Amino acid sequence: PDTLPKETIVLDSTNLAGIRALTGRSLYAVSGLTIDEEFSADEGVLVSSVLNEDAILSIEGCNSWSRGRATKDRNTEKFWCDRQDIQDTPTSIVFRPPKSQLSIVHKLRVYTSNTSTNSDPASFILEGRVKPDAEWEVIGSGDLDLPLDRNNRGIPINSSYDSGDAALSYSEVSLSDNTKAYWDYKVSFPATRDPTKSNLQLAEVELPGLLLPFFPISHSCAPGAQTSRWRKELDAVDCPNTANLGEGTYKLFSDLVSAKPDVYNPTIRTVTREYRECDSIDAYKLDLGMVQASDGTCWKHVHDLEHTIFDLTGADPADYTVTGSVAQVSNAFVDGIVDDPAYPIIGNLDDHSVIDNSSNSPLDQQDVQDAFMTLEYNPSREALLVCGSPGEVATNPFASDHSFDITTPQKHGVRTMNIWELSAQRHTTWAQMAMHADDQLRQRQSWALSQIIAVGLPDSGMVFYEANEPYPSFYDQYVRNGFGSYRKLLKDMSFNLIMAEWLTFKNNKSLQHNINNGLQSHPDENYAREIMQLFSIGLFMLNMDGSKVLDGNGQPVETYTIDDIMSYAGAWTGFEMRNKRGGASASNRHGERSLDPLYINPETRDHFPKSNLYDGFIGDQIALCNDLPDRAFLRKGATFMLLGSDPTPTMLSSDVALESDPDRPQMELLPSSPLFARLCSQDSTGDCTFPAKVI
């Protein structure tokens, strides 16, 4: 897990018990909540219209129309509908509220437009429905006797539940017999004052009525941004679609749950659906059942407050049952305390929460701070030395932040700069180095290499088009390897995220892995082909003078076959992004580490032998680790890389249990050892500087 700029605490059962003992506060995570639709009409609010500017609408029965939003924008801007040759077809406007909120309509008001009294609607039909796939139900119908006085365009409407705007012209119809609550409404106008008129015009539609309270849980598929909470089902054998979600809805929430969360929590994830839409049949489902995440885990849709930690000190203990740090409660109990400042929310069970300068009591109390401020954001509760990405920071651990990725995600606010300004920054950075750096020969060599091993530009659909840092970092590989070996350059490029995105081998999985997961899919062959065709040996074998080698029939000899490509495709499986961790780019928009080299995931790696181009196999002449002599790691020329304080070799992603594995022995150097002296590299004060690499 990642490190944070402030000290954090894991709000697990053990730490909650410790905080309860220190403070005497009754801190418990609530559980046992159900997803239901209980509400009381007595708690509703009478409003001038249950519609608002954010209501989503659709219009039927018009050849064309303009200013549809004018029908509910709270002013007298005109809505116009062309009904030429379809005068017998009612003009209908469907309104969908943007929130999870039912309403009971008591009246219909229609305001006149600024022109043509003969184009006024003369009759109406108002219908409602409780969900998108339900049948429309008639609430009321009848004549509309709109006044002949006209309303100028664009005048704000100041109305109330009791009365329309007295300064404007409108007609009101009572629907007092209606007592049923609906989500959606459809207002239809079958005819105009003059039945022969080819257009219909009006200024505003209001539906005065009772707006019912928000439900304590979200309608996760309702229009607008909605949140939902999901709990991992630890004992699930399979993950059935218990809510019968549509295929699109199921994939939508599977993707949301699979995405890496902003706050690390192993069992609870709260997700927000913003832009993608659910299937229409699911638009008002409350319980979304279960979905399977991309890693195979099963997640169940739960109440929005499930596992939320409350301070229940003032509550009656008879109202809940405690097991460990979890309190079994009812929905009614939580509804009564959720907005009461006497019962503050501390966080969520198993969240990693900031404790340094926390505003949440009792995390802000001095005794709690003293007891828990030493905890860092990692499962083992031990401080970690986190190394920067290649070229990111100096070896001095106290060096300042050297990042320059200043992008702000668009959905969370206004960008610091637009993408064209960011592109200009990248170009300026490269141009300054390429033309003015002292090592001009290296810079020119780097430019030449970039024309051979090339990737797409930032505006070509790549994921990094809004970020400054990844592309200059990618180009730095040409610079670093400009006077080195071509093999080393190819290796660095092959472990780079941008190359893996561009030539589509990121998250490439072996055939065996795919079969085990129900897919008959071979590994992607793109990079296996391009690294030979474009980056190394080319299509045909060459003589020393550059001419093509010919076979007995005078035809050029190909360097590889389709069989070679299929074999090599297995070599480019398992390449994945590293988990997010501490460092200068940890706070940018990307959940994973965009600057770190990829790592090879053994679960998705192809483990079978891969043939080479010379009737052998890759790795034939490379000694296995168990074939090396003892202490081979001490040989001259061995390279030691600083990985931080975690002793496992996969850069903070291995199981902590491996530290004590007897089959993975570890070496502890004495301070008197010459190797210790090289790795420590003392400064003038005698402190270790720990270089990133020692050869």
Side-chain angles (χ1 to χ4, degrees):
D2 191 19
T3 54
L4 290 179
K6 296 181 178 181
E7 302 285 355
T8 62
I9 183 174
V10 183
L11 294 176
D12 58 13
S13 296
T14 301
N15 286 339
L16 280 179
I19 297 174
R20 288 196 299 271
L22 281 172
T23 64
R25 310 295 296 180
S26 299
L27 305 181
Y28 296 104
V30 298
S31 187
L33 300 171
T34 59
I35 299 177
D36 57 27
E37 279 192 2
E38 296 178 359
F39 66 88
S40 171
D42 296 336
E43 300 175 359
V45 178
L46 294 172
V47 294
S48 62
S49 181
V50 299
L51 310 176
N52 60 39
E53 294 184 36
D54 295 325
I56 300 171
L57 57 83
S58 58
I59 297 172
E60 304 167 357
C62 298
N63 295 316
S64 62
W65 50 270
S66 64
R67 295 181 292 276
R69 294 182 61 85
T71 58
K72 41 85 178 183
D73 63 355
R74 311 301 300 150
N75 71 63
T76 59
E77 184 57 65
K78 178 170 65 177
F79 164 71
W80 176 87
C81 167
D82 174 19
R83 304 174 74 237
Q84 181 72 41
D85 299 328
I86 57 171
Q87 285 93 331
D88 294 335
T89 302
T91 297
S92 300
I93 307 172
V94 177
F95 299 94
R96 295 180 62 194
K99 299 292 184 182
S100 303
Q101 207 166 9
L102 289 165
S103 58
I104 302 175
V105 170
H106 294 157
K107 308 174 186 179
L108 167 68
R109 291 192 196 119
V110 178
Y111 289 76
T112 63
S113 66
N114 66 324
T115 58
S116 186
T117 58
N118 288 330
S119 296
D120 289 345
S123 58
F124 78 95
I125 303 171
L126 177 63
E127 300 170 275
R129 64 184 179 187
V130 293
K131 55 183 180 178
D133 57 346
E135 295 292 328
W136 288 104
E137 300 176 8
V138 176
I139 300 172
S141 62
D143 295 332
L144 276 176
D145 187 16
L146 289 178
L148 298 178
D149 293 338
R150 304 289 88 186
N151 292 313
N152 291 328
R153 293 172 64 174
I155 300 175
I157 297 175
N158 298 306
S159 58
S160 65
Y161 170 80
D162 295 318
S163 174
D165 192 328
L168 299 173
S169 297
Y170 66 91
S171 180
E172 179 176 292
V173 179
S174 174
L175 303 167
S176 57
D177 292 338
N178 178 49
T179 59
K180 185 168 182 179
Y182 296 97
W183 291 107
D184 300 343
Y185 294 97
K186 178 165 71 171
V187 184
S188 300
F189 302 109
T192 55
R193 193 190 303 268
D194 180 352
T196 65
K197 291 295 291 184
S198 63
N199 58 71
L200 178 145
Q201 301 178 22
L202 58 90
E204 184 83 0
V205 174
E206 288 185 337
L207 297 179
L210 187 68
L211 197 61
L212 298 175
F214 284 108
F215 294 122
I217 51 86
S218 300
H219 276 256
S220 305
C221 279
Q226 304 291 348
T227 61
S228 57
R229 179 164 290 191
W230 300 77
R231 182 186 65 211
K232 182 187 286 187
E233 297 294 274
L234 300 177
D235 299 326
V237 177
D238 53 13
C239 202
N241 182 3
T242 54
N244 295 317
L245 299 178
E247 183 179 351
T249 305
Y250 189 94
K251 185 177 188 308
L252 163 61
F253 285 98
S254 174
D255 291 344
L256 290 174
V257 171
S258 300
K260 288 185 170 59
D262 293 332
V263 176
Y264 178 75
N265 189 312
T267 57
I268 287 289
R269 289 184 183 172
T270 299
V271 303
T272 300
R273 179 192 60 77
E274 295 188 70
Y275 307 116
R276 293 168 61 182
E277 295 293 331
C278 300
D279 294 335
S280 60
I281 61 171
D282 303 316
Y284 292 101
K285 283 182 180 175
L286 271 177
D287 189 349
L288 301 181
M290 293 189 290
V291 299
Q292 190 171 44
S294 58
D295 61 359
T297 55
C298 188
W299 295 77
K300 177 179 174 57
H301 182 209
V302 295
H303 192 283
D304 288 356
L305 295 174
E306 180 74 14
H307 280 197
T308 298
I309 301 171
F310 284 87
D311 186 343
L312 302 179
T313 303
D316 186 348
D319 290 336
Y320 57 89
T321 303
V322 171
T323 303
S325 289
V326 177
Q328 295 292 320
V329 299
S330 66
N331 284 40
F333 174 78
V334 169
D335 293 345
I337 68 172
V338 66
D339 293 319
D340 190 336
Y343 306 99
I345 292 176
I346 310 304
N348 298 314
L349 188 65
D350 293 325
D351 266 4
H352 291 66
S353 298
V354 173
I355 187 173
D356 186 19
N357 295 320
S358 173
S359 59
N360 289 343
S361 177
L363 300 185
D364 60 346
Q365 294 184 13
Q366 190 60 51
D367 52 354
V368 177
Q369 296 273 316
D370 291 342
F372 291 97
M373 276 286 286
T374 58
L375 296 183
E376 290 282 352
Y377 192 58
N378 66 88
S380 63
R381 313 285 208 285
E382 296 176 357
L384 289 178
L385 171 63
V386 181
C387 305
S389 299
E392 183 180 23
V393 294
T395 54
N396 179 1
F398 303 103
S400 62
D401 182 0
H402 291 278
S403 72
F404 52 96
D405 185 344
I406 48 79
T407 302
T408 300
Q410 187 176 19
K411 68 178 182 180
H412 290 158
V414 179
R415 290 189 181 98
T416 310
M417 290 184 173
N418 64 44
I419 59 174
W420 309 116
E421 291 172 312
L422 292 172
S423 178
Q425 282 194 358
R426 286 191 293 271
H427 296 162
T428 300
T429 302
W430 173 83
Q432 287 294 315
M433 294 299 296
M435 293 188 291
H436 300 291
D438 293 335
D439 54 350
Q440 280 297 294
L441 181 57
R442 179 185 292 274
Q443 296 295 329
R444 297 184 185 201
Q445 174 77 345
S446 304
W447 168 253
L449 291 171
S450 73
Q451 306 307 296
I452 301 172
I453 305 177
V455 295
L457 296 174
D459 60 353
S460 57
M462 303 282 286
V463 297
F464 302 116
Y465 72 99
E466 294 179 8
N468 264 335
E469 212 167 359
Y471 273 89
S473 177
F474 178 84
Y475 191 86
D476 282 345
Q477 294 177 114
Y478 301 122
V479 180
R480 284 197 301 271
N481 292 288
F483 295 152
S485 74
Y486 194 72
R487 182 189 187 280
K488 177 64 165 55
L489 174 61
L490 274 179
K491 180 179 179 181
D492 287 353
M493 290 297 181
S494 299
F495 277 85
N496 188 276
L497 176 59
I498 292 180
M499 181 63 76
E501 288 272 6
W502 180 245
L503 290 180
T504 63
F505 65 95
K506 175 193 169 189
N507 298 327
N508 197 16
K509 296 175 176 59
S510 69
L511 174 62
Q512 185 64 52
H513 178 275
N514 291 335
I515 291 175
N516 291 342
N517 287 274
L519 301 173
Q520 188 72 28
S521 176
H522 289 266
D524 187 285
E525 300 173 0
N526 196 10
Y527 195 57
R529 177 185 299 103
E530 304 296 3
I531 195 173
M532 292 189 291
Q533 178 179 340
L534 300 180
F535 299 162
S536 58
I537 59 177
L539 293 174
F540 303 105
M541 296 186 66
L542 303 179
N543 296 306
M544 290 302 294
D545 62 0
S547 60
K548 294 177 182 177
V549 174
L550 304 179
D551 61 17
N553 297 320
Q555 299 299 313
V557 178
E558 295 181 343
T559 52
Y560 59 86
T561 66
I562 187 62
D563 291 334
D564 295 320
I565 294 173
M566 293 184 66
S567 175
Y568 280 168
W572 300 109
T573 55
F575 284 72
E576 298 179 9
M577 293 181 72
R578 297 189 183 279
N579 290 331
K580 186 175 179 182
R581 61 182 179 83
S585 67
S587 60
N588 72 4
R589 67 170 299 188
H590 310 298
E592 294 91 353
R593 297 284 293 177
S594 60
L595 301 184
D596 277 353
L598 301 175
Y599 82 101
I600 296 178
N601 182 355
E603 297 296 325
T604 58
R605 178 74 171 173
D606 186 302
H607 296 281
F608 293 96
K610 291 100 180 155
S611 59
N612 61 25
L613 301 177
Y614 308 103
D615 300 323
F617 292 91
I618 296 174
D620 278 348
Q621 297 178 346
I622 300 176
L624 298 177
C625 292
N626 56 8
D627 292 333
L628 295 173
D630 289 342
R631 302 179 180 83
F633 56 87
L634 295 175
R635 72 190 186 281
K636 183 177 181 180
T639 300
F640 292 83
M641 302 291 294
L642 179 65
L643 299 181
S645 54
D646 188 318
T648 54
T650 53
M651 297 187 76
L652 315 185
S653 63
S654 290
D655 192 332
V656 175
L658 294 177
E659 298 178 20
S660 57
D661 188 342
D663 294 328
R664 297 168 66 96
Q666 300 172 35
M667 178 179 66
E668 184 173 347
L669 296 175
L670 297 175
S672 58
S673 163
L675 180 57
F676 180 95
R678 288 292 306 278
L679 299 179
C680 168
S681 187
Q682 292 181 350
D683 60 16
S684 58
T685 64
D687 293 330
C688 292
T689 61
F690 296 117
K693 179 164 64 173
V694 172
I695 299 177

